[in-house]
């Protein structure tokens, strides 16, 4: 697609529920990132995919968080047993690592705003 | 200590003013540096990369001081449309492409 697409744009759920957030990166971008942004803070790194594999998942806060990218394109961030502290905007970004300069340019989606009641 | 630190502001300036933001980073192995801009309730977008020799893009000038681990962004002749949050971003010198963001500095340009 022309840009990074994220769905849903807004998700309200109850504490303890399971949530899935989807990211469709720019076509041809091999690198995909998930970040989380709380109010008044900068984006916080969660996980980075190169192709189908998670090259760096050091930012996932705990084992309730998991992400997949089975075919090297669309990615899903999964959050189990949601807590109120998980409320944030979840941002997905992709980059073109085929060109050296392109690897540093992240194109973000509009984000999925998660509210846990 | 955070890996990338910025003054959160807000910086309130009149149109036409010159304003400068600073950013410090703690990891000396950091390799690449950027400024991203984020409008209210929007996603971050790349404003400019920061090169060792300093670089300019129109009214925007970025500087890097590796010895002091310090990055700056200068905006000349501020416009109302410059009102946004400016995020300092650092990439480590590792095999992974993780970009670390600062908390951002908020700029408000008034008429």
């Amino acid at each position: 697609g022309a840009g990074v697409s994220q769905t849903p744009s807004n998700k309200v759920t109850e504490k303890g529920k399971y949530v899935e957030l989807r990211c469709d990166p720019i076509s041809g971008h091999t690198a995909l990132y998930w970040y989380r942004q709380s109010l008044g803070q900068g984006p916080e790194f969660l996980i980075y995919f190169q192709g189908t594999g998670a090259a760096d998942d050091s930012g996932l806060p705990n084992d309730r968080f998991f992400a997949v990218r089975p075919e090297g394109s669309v990615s899903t961030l999964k959050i189990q047993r949601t807590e109120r502290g998980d409320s944030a905007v979840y941002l997905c970004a992709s980059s073109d690592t085929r060109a050296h300069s392109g690897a540093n340019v992240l194109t973000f989606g509009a984000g999925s705003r998660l509210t846990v009641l | 200590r955070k890996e990338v630190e910025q003054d959160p502001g807000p910086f309130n300036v009149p149109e036409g003013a010159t304003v400068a933001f600073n950013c410090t980073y703690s990891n000396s192995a950091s390799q690449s540096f950027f400024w991203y801009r984020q409008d209210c309730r929007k996603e971050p977008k790349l404003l400019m990369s920061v090169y060792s020799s300093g670089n300019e893009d129109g009214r925007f000038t970025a500087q890097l001081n590796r010895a002091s681990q310090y990055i700056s962004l200068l905006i000349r002749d501020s416009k109302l449309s410059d009102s946004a949050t400016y995020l300092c971003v650092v990439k480590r010198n590792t095999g992974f492409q993780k970009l670390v963001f600062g908390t951002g500095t908020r700029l408000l340009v008034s008429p």
Side-chain angles (χ1 to χ4, degrees), chain A residues 56-77:
Chain A
D56 184 349
D57 64 358
S58 61
L60 295 177
N62 51 59
D63 60 6
R64 296 187 297 105
F65 289 74
F66 189 70
V68 295
R69 195 186 185 199
E71 298 178 356
S73 177
V74 171
S75 175
T76 304
L77 178 66

Side-chain angles (χ1 to χ4, degrees), chain B residues 24-93:
Chain B
T24 57
Y25 60 95
S26 61
N27 192 327
S28 60
S30 298
Q31 177 187 46
S32 305
F33 310 89
F34 313 90
W35 285 100
Y36 275 69
R37 170 192 168 131
Q38 186 171 27
D39 292 299
C40 187
R41 299 181 77 86
K42 299 287 188 182
E43 70 273 22
K45 293 183 179 178
L46 179 67
L47 177 65
M48 60 195 301
S49 301
V50 185
Y51 302 120
S52 297
S53 55
N55 50 296
E56 190 174 303
D57 183 359
R59 299 181 292 109
F60 298 83
T61 300
Q63 296 280 350
L64 168 65
N65 184 323
R66 286 187 185 272
S68 301
Q69 296 181 196
Y70 170 98
I71 305 156
S72 66
L73 177 68
L74 182 78
I75 305 176
R76 291 182 301 277
D77 189 22
S78 299
K79 311 292 184 191
L80 295 176
S81 58
D82 293 336
S83 296
T85 296
Y86 291 84
L87 298 159
C88 177
V89 186
V90 169
K91 189 180 92 169
R92 294 178 189 163
N93 185 22

Side-chain angles (χ1 to χ4, degrees), chain A residues 18-110:
Chain A
Y18 171 79
V19 165
E20 286 191 355
L21 307 176
R22 174 189 166 105
C23 173
D24 196 347
I26 291 173
S27 179
H29 279 192
T30 57
L32 184 146
Y33 311 76
W34 283 99
Y35 282 80
R36 174 169 74 172
Q37 188 171 27
S38 300
L39 193 63
Q41 301 296 315
E44 172 194 14
F45 172 80
L46 295 178
I47 186 169
Y48 156 66
F49 287 91
Q50 182 60 252
T52 59
D56 184 349
D57 64 358
S58 61
L60 295 177
N62 51 59
D63 60 6
R64 296 187 297 105
F65 289 74
F66 189 70
V68 295
R69 195 186 185 199
E71 298 178 356
S73 177
V74 171
S75 175
T76 304
L77 178 66
K78 307 180 181 192
I79 310 174
Q80 297 178 318
R81 305 182 304 279
T82 51
E83 299 177 357
R84 292 193 180 90
D86 298 336
S87 297
V89 176
Y90 289 81
L91 293 163
C92 177
S94 68
S95 69
D96 183 0
T97 54
R98 291 169 296 179
H100 176 70
S101 59
N104 293 323
V105 179
L106 267 60
T107 301
F108 282 88

